[in-house]
Amino acid sequence: MTDILEAAIVPALDDASPLARLFAMVSELDTYTDAEQREDAEIAAAHHVYNQYGATIGQVLDGEDWTGRIAVKDNRLEASAVAWLEGGLWLHHTLDISEADGARDVLTLIAPCACGSGYIDFQLENEEDLLEILTDLRRTGGRVPHQNDDDCASIPAQK
């Protein structure tokens, strides 16, 4: 009877062979550092904002205004970048990657709740969305209003 747990015989690969070259590429991917993830996330955010929000955010933020965050594999979160807008407002950029759709830029505006207990996020589809949300937030000084404290749907602020 053959022992199925027996180690497989692995032939030596010629360094120039296609398989050896593919293995080398995979090895290079394993060395993708946290710093490289952050930098790539910052570049992706700046690029998206410059191209899709050129008349608004692209006019007030530069590439160095973004701070990259590394991917969190256990939670299945891709690398992302955030930009501080003052007054408690943030922008968050990430790529939504799926087999069906490929990669899609996701830009979210995060604003503090009027009650002070947390934040509300607005996923932006385009500049018109952004302008509409900013028009509403301008009236309240950048806070998301609600009728009463029972009405609050914010994400709790960390203490």
Side-chain angles (χ1 to χ4, degrees):
M1 181 179 217
T2 306
D3 185 359
I4 59 172
L5 298 177
E6 199 171 296
I9 299 172
V10 179
L13 295 175
D14 175 8
D15 288 341
S17 76
L19 184 58
R21 291 173 34 212
L22 287 170
F23 283 161
M25 287 178 194
V26 170
S27 175
E28 289 172 11
L29 291 175
D30 288 342
T31 62
Y32 190 49
T33 67
D34 290 354
E36 290 170 327
Q37 282 188 55
R38 286 185 189 97
E39 182 179 0
D40 286 351
E42 292 166 6
I43 291 169
H47 178 75
H48 177 68
V49 164
Y50 180 78
N51 287 308
Q52 299 301 317
Y53 297 85
T56 54
I57 302 167
Q59 297 290 318
V60 298
L61 291 180
D62 293 321
E64 58 269 2
D65 293 321
W66 292 94
T67 302
R69 305 286 183 209
I70 63 171
V72 181
K73 296 299 180 192
D74 293 342
N75 291 338
R76 302 181 77 187
L77 300 174
E78 296 297 326
S80 63
V82 294
W84 172 244
L85 297 178
E86 301 290 332
L89 281 79
W90 294 84
L91 283 171
H92 177 267
H93 176 272
T94 191
L95 291 175
D96 179 24
I97 301 173
S98 71
E99 288 183 27
D101 300 328
R104 180 178 72 87
D105 289 285
V106 178
L107 186 63
T108 305
L109 176 67
I110 302 166
C113 188
C115 69
S117 66
Y119 293 87
I120 305 290
D121 57 16
F122 301 93
Q123 186 171 327
L124 305 173
E125 295 299 323
N126 51 43
E127 272 186 320
E128 291 79 28
D129 275 358
L130 172 67
L131 291 172
E132 184 178 319
I133 293 165
L134 289 176
T135 298
D136 291 340
L137 289 174
R138 184 175 184 204
R139 293 183 203 129
T140 60
R143 305 276 186 226
V144 180
H146 52 74
Q147 297 299 320
N148 55 49
D149 287 341
D150 297 337
D151 193 12
C152 184
S154 68
I155 299 167
Q158 294 186 2
K159 297 181 184 203

